[in-house]
Amino acid sequence: MDEVSASRTALAASLMRAVHTRCDPVRILDDPWGDRFITSSALQALEQFAASSREGAAGDAEEGDLQTTVDAIMRTNPGYANVVLRGRYTEDALEQSISAGIRQYVLIGAGFDSYALRRSAAAAALEIFEVDHPATQALKRQRLDDFGAGTDARLHFVAADLGEESLDTALSRTAFDFDAPAFFSWLGVTMYLPRAANEATLDSVARCGAAGSRLVFSYIDSALFGGQAGEDGQAFSELQESVARMGEPFVCGFEPGALNRDLKARGLLLEEDVSDTQLASRYDPAGENRLGVSDKSRLAMVRIADSAN
């Protein structure tokens, strides 16, 4: 297995979800599986980074306690709040869709998501399609085998490079029902793709989803690329440098004011567009977790108006 080919930002997001579960006073998202996808080599590299960064790590890490230091570094990462908040928001929206009768869940860029493992009762009502790059998905499946996690027949792994083929083409190889509504999530992906690739994926979702389907996707405000970041500028620069060092630089954002128009042209209706700041007020109103939230990091919930199949 070539671990280097797997998405490092996806591994970091998995660890962040686990750190939140273990460390934050208000549990917004419960993910005890997140740690288990991290390979020993990846953890070793992170520990080495933690050791060299001990003085800069926030929190109360004690000398010699590398795990505490690693946790502190994760919690002070500018992307930490979004990872936690987008997971909770998406699963709340998914729960509402299940109540409305939707029985298909498609995770675009699934990474090391553990919904099928930790929400097994809810997942039993769904056909779940995890779509991701073959290298990342191969590592995830290997890790599932390593720690003996059985997978249900309703969980479908769809190895696909969406830069080379469309989502609807990838799903056509599976048991996905194009005539039935579905819930789509697309988290932590759009900022790493060029504009044309993002637009192609939105078009593909519109073709895949029957009327009534929903999509939740995360994005960053394009103002961050144009020097109009305001108070978010420094945090964004730090995050941008961090992901670039991982070999996965930010390349694209969306303009919130134009989002409804852009989606509507694709048969997609914007139902809600919220910032991390708004979501933190919703899920942690007293601010006990002290999340470093941003108005420029956002989530959009979209409904598919008409089937384009």
Side-chain angles (χ1 to χ4, degrees), residues 15-69:
L15 182 56
M16 287 177 185
R17 291 190 295 268
V19 169
H20 165 71
T21 300
R22 288 189 276 102
C23 299
D24 286 332
V26 176
R27 188 171 294 179
I28 295 171
L29 185 74
D30 186 13
D31 188 359
W33 291 87
D35 284 316
R36 304 183 73 176
F37 290 111
I38 310 303
T39 62
S40 58
S41 59
L43 184 59
Q44 184 178 27
L46 184 56
E47 287 177 341
Q48 291 172 351
F49 175 74
S52 66
S53 307
R54 184 183 301 278
E55 290 184 2
D60 23 346
E62 298 178 1
E63 188 67 31
D65 186 353
L66 272 177
Q67 183 64 63
T68 303
T69 305

Side-chain angles (χ1 to χ4, degrees), residues 201-210 266-268 304 306-309:
T201 298
L202 289 170
D203 288 339
S204 192
V205 169
R207 291 193 300 268
C208 289
R266 295 180 156 78
L268 303 171
I304 297 175
D306 299 297
S307 176
N309 296 328

Side-chain angles (χ1 to χ4, degrees), residues 15 17 36 46 63 101 106 129 137 157 168 177 188 228 235 261 269:
L15 182 56
R17 291 190 295 268
R36 304 183 73 176
L46 184 56
E63 188 67 31
V106 180
F129 301 85
Q137 194 161 93
F157 292 103
D168 45 318
D177 184 355
Q228 305 169 35
R261 179 198 64 207
L269 303 179

Side-chain angles (χ1 to χ4, degrees), residues 89-90 92-94 96-97 100 102 182-184 202 210-217 219 256 259-264 267-275 278-279 282 298-306:
Y89 178 86
T90 300
D92 282 356
L94 174 60
Q96 294 169 4
S97 292
I102 285 179
F183 183 92
F184 298 83
L202 289 170
S213 296
R214 279 182 165 76
L215 162 70
V216 170
F217 70 94
Y219 74 96
L259 189 60
N260 185 46
R261 179 198 64 207
D262 293 345
L263 291 170
K264 193 172 183 179
L268 303 171
L269 303 179
L270 182 63
E271 293 192 326
E272 188 172 34
D273 179 23
V274 289
S275 69
Q278 291 169 305
L279 291 177
R282 181 182 303 181
R298 309 185 68 85
L299 282 162
M301 181 154 61
V302 174
R303 179 168 57 86
I304 297 175
D306 299 297

Side-chain angles (χ1 to χ4, degrees), residues 29 41 70 96 120 139 155 187 189 241 253 263 284-285 288 307:
L29 185 74
S41 59
V70 168
Q96 294 169 4
S120 56
L139 178 56
L155 178 58
L187 305 178
V189 179
E241 291 173 6
L263 291 170
D284 180 18
E288 295 179 63
S307 176

